[in-house]
Amino acid sequence: MTTRKVNIVKSADWITILLYLMLIFMGWFNIYAAVYNDEYNSIFDTTQRYGAQLLWIGLAIIIAFILFIVDNKAYHFFAYIIYGIVVFILVGVLFFGKEVNGARAWFELGPIGLQPAEFGKFATSLAIARFLSSFNLKIHKLENIVIILLVILTPAFLIILQNDTGSALVYLAFVFVLFREGLTPWVLIIGVVVLLLFFASLLLEPLTVLISLYVFTIILFRLNNNKALREILIATSVIFALSGVIWLVVYFFKLPINFYFSVVIAIFLAGVYFLFYAYKKNLKVVLLLIAFFAGSLIFSFSVNYVFDHVLQDHQQKRINVLLNRDVDVKSAGYNVHQSKIAIGSGGFYGKGYLKGTQTKFNFVPEQSTDFIFCTVGEEWGFLGSVTVVLLFVFLILRIIYMAERQRSVFGRVYGYSVASILFVHFAVNIGMTIGLAPVIGIPLPFFSYGGSSLWAFTILLFIFVRLDASRMELF
Amino acid sequence: MKNKFESRQYVIGGIIIFIAIAFIIQLFLLQVVDTAYKVSADNNVFRYVTEYPGRGLIMDRNGKLLVYNEVAYDLEVVPNFMRSFDTLELCSILDISKEKLVEGVQKAKQYSAYKPSVVVKQISSKKYAILQETLYKFPGFAVRTRTLRKYPEPIAAHVLGYVGEVNDKIIKSDKYYKSGDYIGISGIERSYEKEVRGRKGVKIYLVDVHNSIKGSYKDGTFDTASIVGANITTTLDAELQSYGEKLMQNKIGSIVALEPSTGEILALITSPSYNSNLLVGQERTKNYMMLQDDKLKPLFNRALMARYPPGSTFKLVNALVGLQEGIITTNSAFSCNGGYHVGSFTVGCHHGGSIDFLHSIQGSCNSYYCNVFQRILDDKKYGKVSVAYNNWRRHLASFGIGRKLEIDLSSELSSFVPTSEYYDKIYGKDKWKSLWIISMAIGQGELGVTPIHMANLTATIANRGYYVIPHIIKSIEGKKSIDPKYLEKHYTTIDRKYFDPVVDGMELVITSGTATRARLPGVAICGKTGTAENPHGTDHSIFVAFAPKNNPKIAIAVYIENGGFGSTWAAPIASLMIEKYLNDTISRPLMEEGMVNANLINEKKQ
């Protein structure tokens, strides 16, 4: 591998750096508004969050600068070592960490609290990038799958042990990276179907779910084989007839079975026949579809069970809040309710800087950290909210664009990791404040108050900016 | 370095853009389309604190205080700001049952989650002192200061009226009132509610999530200051009112005293009455029930609402109508042989021989007025009895009898004088004869006249032909004049010249007629006795009078239920009232003592 020298300052992606600076300073202004009160007015007062954040920002810029002068090859070279150190620290925090709000996730370094979980993201990204850039890697080989899963799930598992499930969920972001690197799309499709089925099963009547599933399966079948209309009609009428007969029998003998279950029995009886038929005629697609249908149905059945018996009480509540099911706006639903009031009351133009009443009078808890977007919504209105959403989307798409122009797999994979992690944070955090995602306490990158998250995102981003700046060194 | 999965960047980019679009749509719905969140934000942060002004003071005509205010404390709650608290502690501070507190909070929730409602009313200042120190333990609760009515001397309860909480109907019909507000329910408090209540003020504060006040909204630009209610001076003479109530103790009935030239009500006494202080404070409801259940009906305003047959006092009206219609002159005389006889029909009387006009009043001759009334109705110039009757009724109406006078106290009833249609219904159209309704000649029959209307009739005679609508208002602070309708003179249909002989007759009633007991040396009182038969027992004792004869200062009507002859109770009481008002001292202590001590209620019960 030969290299050539390029001017990294000139070839650095200044658009990204500009977007980064815009986001951190907009974030600071909103933290100032969220914490602002009349008693303290020096912006440098580090006993106040805006003062502290100003300090964190200064340090973040220094960190960015240092990362930028480090040789780009060092990141590739030290990827596993950095990963190993971070995993080691994540184990350490379980034993020596300080417990805050029920999560043992903090190291206290004098006045500064550090949250190691935040640094797991860039370390894992480096490790994954290093591994996927191995020469001639086959992603679907079993041992590779096992290694990839181990790399991703080890930090995630350690973070779950810290009782910080939200931060662990972020590691799902790597699905996008793997997808880009050739992972079968079925993982994404099944993921989406599982998510949809989960909510559908909680929200809709079982019969509705059943019929929707059936129709969806038929559509998939039709897409695969457009000559099968006759078979579809026959199958459907057979199921109809069978359901009718079974329901009559149930009704006549007064069996303790409701209509829904008679339909299920009918479908299964018919399904056995279809299975036999498909097997005989060697129709692989039909076999797959039947498997998909049956799997979905069983999953749908189990969702309610899982919801009631596996999920913890506060998790159930958060999902209920999201789905608007028996919400108590005074307890479980309070945050989201007040958050929506703050954002909704901002109107088109917003109430003006430092004039948000929800913000000023602390109606939204955690407003400078996880709910910082409320301040934007209330004081800057629809215009400000959309601006922030667009800035994030622009930054993420810019990173994807940059990732695609990398000449090394390492650079590309790392770039996608950055984009995916930022995207999951963006989607979950803003989604939560506007009632489109359950309450999962993860920060809005660059915006939320907190040194650890700001530094971690800065490191995550600037390693990539550094890699990108040297991309032309590779032939 | 390209690879075969390059196109997947568009899938990932698509997902990102999809989420962004979903966010922008949701933001648009929340911030632009749905306005409910703005209301919610306002409800969170704005606290409207109402300032209740004190009601205006009420004074008598000489500036003596009749009604003033005392501070009281109400505990109110904003349900949305309530957090769990120690119910038992709050109950023990307030000394109320847990059920009462729970019920109050429940009611508050039904009214509004964001607006304050009163949970416990009129907390004593002692309990308030303890409560104030512990209030921080009960988020959502606050104390508001209110004023309560107080009465230095418990007189004129029916005139002053009382104040009570607004009901749902009032809240719906008048936007000024909110749940828990007070409003005048009766008497002056009701008639002059708008003047006496003042105007509530509202201060808008900003509160934080802990419901603690952070400052006023826009430096109070939108605040409104409360305005204290206007003080009201009434026409009542507190001393006369008080004296009259003393005379009326242990009697059922009413006294109405007017200043004839102005129509000002000097005294408006209803007996039995009640102590106004009973209808204030926490015991109000209990006391109200007690008064309502009282068999003697102390809440019933007899002076304005009780219709009594006027009895012989009504002969004055028939004399005036007879003179005006030319039926009689002051020289007319009728023979009275122990009554008015037509065939087998007789209206009893006690005179003998011929009675002239003056003596008919002086001696209250039934026969004379039966003859007059019969001739009024059978007057040929009107053709039919009903036409003549309606003409007679028209004369009555010009005295304010048979309709409402529209005095400034809301409970006034109109006096009852049957219409000709009324008799048409009973007897058939134009089938009735003067003789059939002859009892009205002497103020009996269907007639029902309230004491205030009788007093107004007397004042009209005192004024020799006009009256000013009786009223209780003398002046309102900050207003140049009272309603002009209480300044206007209403002339009767009787010419002035016919009043003088009637007045002369009334003077004779006192000097040498049926009411010599009412004689007051040095004052020319003119009066007329009445003894009204009533189906419920002993006759009502009635007396109307004015004094002095020239330039009268007081006109009075006294009704004593079941008091027997007018001369027995009503006349002396009227005389004492006149003396009290004109001379300010009582020269007849024995008479006063007899009147004050008489208990006519026990007689009724027997």
Side-chain angles (χ1 to χ4, degrees):
Chain A
M1 205 183 271
T2 48
T3 59
R4 65 181 174 201
K5 267 280 155 243
V6 287
N7 182 342
I8 55 163
V9 176
K10 237 179 171 176
S11 60
D13 193 72
W14 286 98
I15 294 178
T16 304
I17 295 170
L18 189 70
L19 285 169
Y20 165 80
L21 290 173
M22 281 171 79
L23 287 172
I24 51 172
F25 282 104
M26 283 171 76
W28 184 83
F29 276 106
N30 284 293
I31 291 167
Y32 183 80
V35 188
Y36 172 81
N37 72 43
D38 300 325
E39 284 165 47
Y40 302 91
N41 35 30
S42 164
I43 57 165
F44 299 110
D45 186 346
T46 50
T47 63
Q48 295 298 300
R49 285 192 161 182
Y50 43 82
Q53 183 75 0
L54 210 53
L55 197 65
W56 310 154
I57 289 174
L59 284 168
I61 291 171
I62 293 170
I63 290 169
F65 184 73
I66 293 168
L67 289 170
F68 204 68
I69 54 178
V70 170
D71 190 289
N72 64 311
K73 288 183 280 300
Y75 299 115
H76 182 271
F77 185 79
F78 289 112
Y80 289 146
I81 295 169
I82 293 169
Y83 178 78
I85 293 170
V86 170
V87 168
F88 182 74
I89 294 173
L90 282 175
V91 174
V93 81
L94 288 175
F95 297 101
F96 307 110
K98 191 188 165 214
E99 197 171 306
V100 177
N101 293 336
R104 190 178 282 282
W106 294 80
F107 268 132
E108 263 193 325
L109 296 173
I112 303 169
L114 271 184
Q115 206 178 358
E118 290 295 338
F119 300 93
K121 284 174 275 204
F122 91 90
T124 309
S125 303
L126 281 175
I128 281 291
R130 171 79 186 264
F131 183 72
L132 290 183
S133 62
S134 311
F135 182 69
N136 211 7
L137 183 99
K138 296 273 185 302
I139 203 167
H140 287 122
K141 238 172 111 181
L142 183 67
E143 58 172 286
N144 292 336
I145 292 175
V146 170
I147 292 169
I148 291 167
L149 282 178
L150 272 176
V151 170
I152 297 171
L153 294 183
T154 305
F157 178 70
L158 289 170
I159 291 166
I160 288 175
L161 287 184
Q162 293 172 9
N163 205 7
D164 187 3
T165 322
S167 295
L169 280 175
V170 174
Y171 286 78
L172 285 175
F174 288 105
V175 172
F176 293 112
V177 181
L178 298 173
F179 170 70
R180 171 60 186 87
E181 292 308 310
L183 184 71
T184 167
W186 282 106
V187 176
L188 266 187
I189 294 172
I190 289 173
V192 170
V193 169
V194 162
L195 215 60
L196 285 178
L197 259 181
F198 181 78
F199 291 123
S201 309
L202 289 176
L203 282 177
L204 305 175
E205 288 298 311
L207 196 63
T208 318
V209 177
L210 182 72
I211 292 166
S212 313
L213 261 179
Y214 182 76
V215 172
F216 186 66
T217 313
I218 296 297
I219 291 170
L220 281 181
F221 183 57
R222 269 288 279 179
L223 288 177
N224 196 269
N225 181 351
N226 54 14
K227 279 180 275 179
L229 193 64
R230 209 171 65 101
E231 279 85 352
I232 291 170
L233 286 176
I234 291 172
T236 310
S237 35
V238 165
I239 290 170
F240 256 111
L242 257 177
S243 317
V245 171
I246 293 171
W247 176 239
L248 268 180
V249 171
V250 166
Y251 188 78
F252 191 76
F253 290 104
K254 296 187 165 56
L255 297 174
I257 296 172
N258 66 19
F259 181 68
Y260 171 69
F261 279 99
S262 5
V263 177
V264 171
I265 293 167
I267 288 176
F268 265 82
L269 287 178
V272 171
Y273 172 73
F274 296 150
L275 210 61
F276 180 69
Y277 178 82
Y279 181 73
K280 236 173 95 180
K281 299 245 165 166
N282 202 16
L283 290 169
K284 258 192 181 163
V285 183
V286 177
L287 286 177
L288 268 175
L289 284 176
I290 289 173
F292 164 76
F293 181 82
S296 304
L297 203 59
I298 292 164
F299 176 76
S300 171
F301 267 132
S302 54
V303 160
N304 281 298
Y305 178 85
V306 169
F307 185 81
D308 291 337
H309 297 94
V310 178
L311 288 187
Q312 290 176 17
D313 194 42
H314 72 276
Q315 291 166 333
Q316 289 179 17
K317 275 183 185 158
R318 285 170 180 189
I319 289 168
N320 280 336
V321 168
L322 178 66
L323 301 179
N324 259 330
R325 300 200 308 181
D326 29 87
V327 179
D328 179 4
V329 295
K330 277 188 184 171
S331 57
Y334 180 79
N335 273 26
V336 172
H337 182 65
Q338 292 298 340
S339 162
K340 282 165 94 175
I341 288 175
I343 294 169
S345 65
F348 192 80
Y349 295 106
K351 294 177 186 170
Y353 189 51
L354 299 181
K355 289 190 180 134
T357 52
Q358 291 282 103
T359 299
K360 215 153 97 181
F361 301 125
N362 307 322
F363 285 95
V364 189
E366 302 295 337
Q367 201 172 353
S368 58
T369 55
D370 297 344
F371 281 89
I372 189 68
F373 191 70
C374 293
T375 317
V376 180
E378 188 179 21
E379 299 195 341
W380 304 96
F382 181 67
L383 283 181
S385 310
V386 170
T387 305
V388 170
V389 168
L390 290 180
L391 278 178
F392 270 106
V393 170
F394 191 48
L395 175 67
I396 294 164
L397 292 179
R398 178 77 195 168
I399 292 167
I400 288 175
Y401 167 79
M402 285 157 68
E404 288 293 341
R405 74 185 181 189
Q406 297 306 306
R407 296 181 174 196
S408 69
V409 177
F410 179 78
R412 184 179 67 226
V413 173
Y414 186 80
Y416 265 96
S417 301
V418 176
S420 307
I421 289 166
L422 289 179
F423 173 62
V424 169
H425 272 270
F426 158 80
V428 170
N429 182 283
I430 294 184
M432 147 182 103
T433 60
I434 59 178
L436 287 182
V439 175
I440 294 171
I442 56 173
L444 185 61
F446 313 121
F447 252 73
S448 291
Y449 169 80
S452 297
S453 84
L454 177 62
W455 297 332
F457 282 118
T458 303
I459 294 168
L460 183 72
L461 182 65
F462 274 84
I463 289 176
F464 183 57
V465 172
R466 177 67 190 87
L467 294 175
D468 176 69
S470 295
R471 68 186 184 279
M472 297 309 251
E473 291 175 10
L474 301 171
F475 286 104
Chain B
M1 188 183 138
K2 307 270 170 192
N3 74 15
K4 58 175 176 166
F5 300 115
E6 200 179 352
S7 63
R8 287 190 177 182
Q9 63 176 294
Y10 302 112
V11 176
I12 295 170
I15 292 172
I16 292 165
I17 290 168
F18 171 79
I19 294 289
I21 289 171
F23 281 5
I24 290 171
I25 290 172
Q26 172 80 345
L27 284 166
F28 187 77
L29 293 177
L30 286 180
Q31 300 186 292
V32 182
V33 178
D34 197 335
T35 53
Y37 293 104
K38 288 156 195 74
V39 178
S40 304
D42 288 351
N43 283 339
N44 268 345
V45 78
F46 289 136
R47 197 63 58 245
Y48 298 89
V49 177
T50 309
E51 290 197 325
Y52 294 90
R55 289 176 80 84
L57 306 178
I58 301 177
M59 283 153 297
D60 91 333
R61 63 191 295 116
N62 301 315
K64 191 177 169 197
L65 198 60
L66 298 176
V67 187
Y68 67 102
N69 298 312
E70 202 178 65
V71 178
Y73 307 94
D74 287 357
L75 181 70
E76 51 181 31
V77 69
V78 179
N80 242 28
F81 293 107
M82 248 171 42
R83 301 286 178 265
S84 56
F85 63 93
D86 188 345
T87 14
L88 281 180
E89 190 183 354
L90 187 57
C91 288
S92 74
I93 292 170
L94 298 171
D95 194 21
I96 55 167
S97 69
K98 196 182 164 192
E99 288 73 30
K100 202 183 160 193
L101 183 69
V102 170
E103 190 196 334
V105 169
Q106 214 57 43
K107 241 186 119 184
K109 279 183 185 164
Q110 277 166 16
Y111 171 63
S112 168
Y114 284 106
K115 290 178 196 154
S117 359
V118 176
V119 183
V120 183
K121 280 170 216 142
Q122 294 157 20
I123 299 161
S124 70
S125 33
K126 204 172 151 193
K127 284 178 196 162
Y128 169 67
I130 308 168
L131 183 62
Q132 204 184 16
E133 280 170 21
T134 47
L135 205 57
Y136 71 92
K137 292 186 195 167
F138 313 110
F141 286 89
V143 172
R144 71 175 174 190
T145 311
R146 301 281 296 265
T147 54
L148 289 183
R149 288 308 220 185
K150 273 279 165 189
Y151 307 87
E153 193 190 347
I155 57 164
H158 292 99
V159 178
L160 301 173
Y162 58 94
V163 169
E165 227 170 272
V166 288
N167 58 32
D168 295 343
K169 218 175 114 192
I170 297 169
I171 295 171
K172 268 183 201 148
S173 63
D174 189 338
K175 279 195 172 165
Y176 178 83
Y177 298 99
K178 301 275 176 289
S179 171
D181 283 1
Y182 290 135
I183 188 172
I185 308 268
S186 71
I188 294 172
E189 301 275 20
R190 176 170 172 167
S191 306
Y192 292 97
E193 163 71 11
K194 281 223 166 70
E195 289 80 7
V196 96
R197 76 183 178 196
R199 201 186 70 196
K200 288 187 288 188
V202 176
K203 279 215 157 82
I204 309 171
Y205 291 107
L206 297 173
V207 297
D208 70 0
V209 67
H210 307 296
N211 202 23
S212 56
I213 288 175
K214 287 289 170 186
S216 62
Y217 176 57
K218 296 211 166 155
D219 292 326
T221 316
F222 296 100
D223 294 0
T224 51
S226 64
I227 296 173
V228 178
N231 294 340
I232 279 186
T233 303
T234 66
T235 58
L236 279 186
D237 183 312
E239 255 185 72
L240 186 66
Q241 175 80 23
S242 173
Y243 185 65
E245 288 186 15
K246 191 169 130 198
L247 289 172
M248 287 300 282
Q249 68 186 22
N250 295 320
K251 297 163 196 73
I252 300 172
S254 172
I255 302 175
V256 179
L258 304 174
E259 185 176 75
S261 58
T262 59
E264 290 177 357
I265 298 171
L266 300 172
L268 193 88
I269 295 150
T270 285
S271 182
S273 186
Y274 61 92
N275 185 335
S276 295
N277 287 315
L278 287 176
L279 295 186
V280 177
Q282 277 182 312
E283 304 286 288
R284 196 189 147 219
T285 315
K286 203 181 96 190
N287 290 335
Y288 187 85
M289 297 310 274
M290 181 196 83
L291 291 171
Q292 204 170 34
D293 291 343
D294 192 325
K295 273 187 187 158
L296 299 176
K297 297 191 173 149
L299 292 173
F300 181 54
N301 192 347
R302 290 178 161 79
L304 304 183
M305 302 176 84
R307 289 165 169 162
Y308 301 102
S312 299
T313 56
F314 212 62
K315 288 169 184 165
L316 299 170
V317 182
N318 283 332
L320 288 166
V321 175
L323 290 170
Q324 177 71 28
E325 289 291 327
I327 302 296
I328 49 168
T329 68
T330 47
N331 297 320
S332 301
F334 294 97
S335 67
C336 173
N337 299 311
Y340 174 72
H341 309 283
V342 179
S344 61
F345 180 83
T346 294
V347 176
C349 194
H350 43 81
H351 300 104
S354 181
I355 299 289
D356 66 11
F357 180 78
L358 278 182
H359 288 92
S360 72
I361 296 176
Q362 179 196 24
S364 194
C365 179
N366 287 348
S367 314
Y368 194 95
Y369 287 97
C370 287
N371 277 304
V372 172
F373 190 58
Q374 179 258 313
R375 281 167 172 75
I376 290 171
L377 295 186
D378 292 336
D379 195 343
K380 288 283 180 293
K381 67 175 180 264
Y382 294 110
K384 287 196 282 192
V385 174
S386 61
V387 179
Y389 178 82
N390 282 337
N391 183 54
W392 174 76
R393 212 172 166 276
R394 180 179 62 87
H395 287 299
L396 260 56
S398 77
F399 287 87
I401 291 174
R403 61 183 177 84
K404 273 193 186 184
L405 284 169
E406 292 183 3
I407 69 168
D408 54 351
L409 289 170
S410 61
S411 43
E412 182 201 5
L413 283 188
S414 67
S415 292
F416 183 69
V417 182
T419 58
S420 58
E421 287 80 19
Y422 175 91
Y423 291 118
D424 282 345
K425 230 177 222 169
I426 296 175
Y427 301 113
K429 182 138 181 73
D430 286 327
K431 293 214 173 114
W432 43 288
K433 303 220 159 56
S434 57
L435 194 60
W436 298 359
I437 59 171
I438 201 73
S439 57
M440 283 203 282
I442 55 168
Q444 296 289 154
E446 289 89 346
L447 281 172
V449 183
T450 63
I452 184 121
H453 291 177
M454 214 58 222
N456 187 55
L457 169 72
T458 313
T460 312
I461 297 171
N463 290 335
R464 274 69 164 180
Y466 73 86
Y467 68 89
V468 178
I469 299 173
H471 53 277
I472 199 74
I473 193 76
K474 194 160 175 71
S475 66
I476 300 169
E477 182 192 26
K479 279 199 179 176
K480 277 191 182 149
S481 162
I482 58 168
D483 191 333
K485 87 177 193 192
Y486 298 125
L487 301 171
E488 195 187 328
K489 287 178 181 175
H490 295 262
Y491 285 90
T492 64
T493 49
I494 312 294
D495 295 343
R496 196 194 180 288
K497 61 183 178 195
Y498 296 124
F499 283 93
D500 291 324
V502 172
V503 169
D504 290 339
M506 288 171 78
E507 190 179 15
L508 286 178
V509 169
I510 311 295
T511 52
S512 55
T514 51
T516 48
R517 285 194 75 188
R519 209 183 297 156
L520 174 64
V523 179
I525 299 178
C526 304
K528 180 73 193 79
T529 54
T531 304
E533 292 170 17
N534 82 88
H536 309 297
T538 318
D539 297 344
H540 297 327
S541 171
I542 307 172
F543 189 69
V544 298
F546 65 86
K549 185 183 177 189
N550 294 315
N551 198 12
K553 292 280 176 246
I554 179 171
I556 191 167
V558 180
Y559 278 70
I560 311 291
E561 285 187 26
N562 312 108
F565 293 115
S567 53
T568 320
W569 301 107
I573 286 176
S575 177
L576 285 167
M577 289 288 284
I578 290 170
E579 185 178 18
K580 178 79 183 170
Y581 183 66
L582 295 180
N583 296 349
D584 209 24
T585 51
I586 297 299
S587 60
R588 297 162 292 178
L590 276 178
M591 180 192 264
E592 179 187 44
E593 200 187 315
M595 291 300 131
V596 169
N597 292 338
N599 185 341
L600 301 177
I601 295 179
N602 284 342
E603 273 177 38
K604 187 189 176 184
K605 280 184 178 164
Q606 288 155 11

